Amino acid sequence: MHLNGQARRRLLAEMLALGQITEVRVPTREQEDLQDLSRLRATAAKNLAHACQYVNAILFRHGIRYPKETKWT
């Protein structure tokens, strides 16, 4: 079905009123940048935790225990 602009606007308005579609908005460049930064920070924290676990495993395998009172892990 090919709709002209006015018919398409009317159809979209009706669908929106019936709750069949939801309104969306495009994030600003600043919002996208903050989302990217947040994702990168979460990834870096996850990578750091894995690296600490890896080092601990190697130390443990060689009989070396890192002192519990330290907070590096």
Side-chain angles (χ1 to χ4, degrees):
M1 173 199 297
H2 181 62
L3 299 175
N4 64 26
Q6 184 177 356
R8 183 175 290 123
R9 286 190 296 273
R10 186 178 301 122
L11 177 62
L12 287 173
E14 289 171 7
M15 291 174 71
L16 185 61
L18 294 172
Q20 294 176 337
I21 58 173
T22 56
E23 228 177 314
V24 296
R25 65 178 177 76
V26 177
T28 65
R29 181 69 185 164
E30 183 178 84
Q31 290 170 330
E32 284 185 5
D33 290 344
L34 287 173
Q35 289 172 346
D36 289 344
L37 181 62
S38 179
R39 284 188 210 102
L40 287 171
R41 184 180 184 281
T43 300
K46 187 173 154 185
N47 290 342
L48 177 62
H50 286 154
C52 289
Q53 291 169 354
Y54 181 71
V55 170
N56 269 338
I58 291 172
L59 292 175
F60 183 72
R61 189 170 37 228
H62 292 282
I64 302 169
R65 289 277 189 168
Y66 210 82
K68 287 190 182 256
E69 55 274 353
T70 61
K71 294 289 185 184
W72 81 278
T73 58

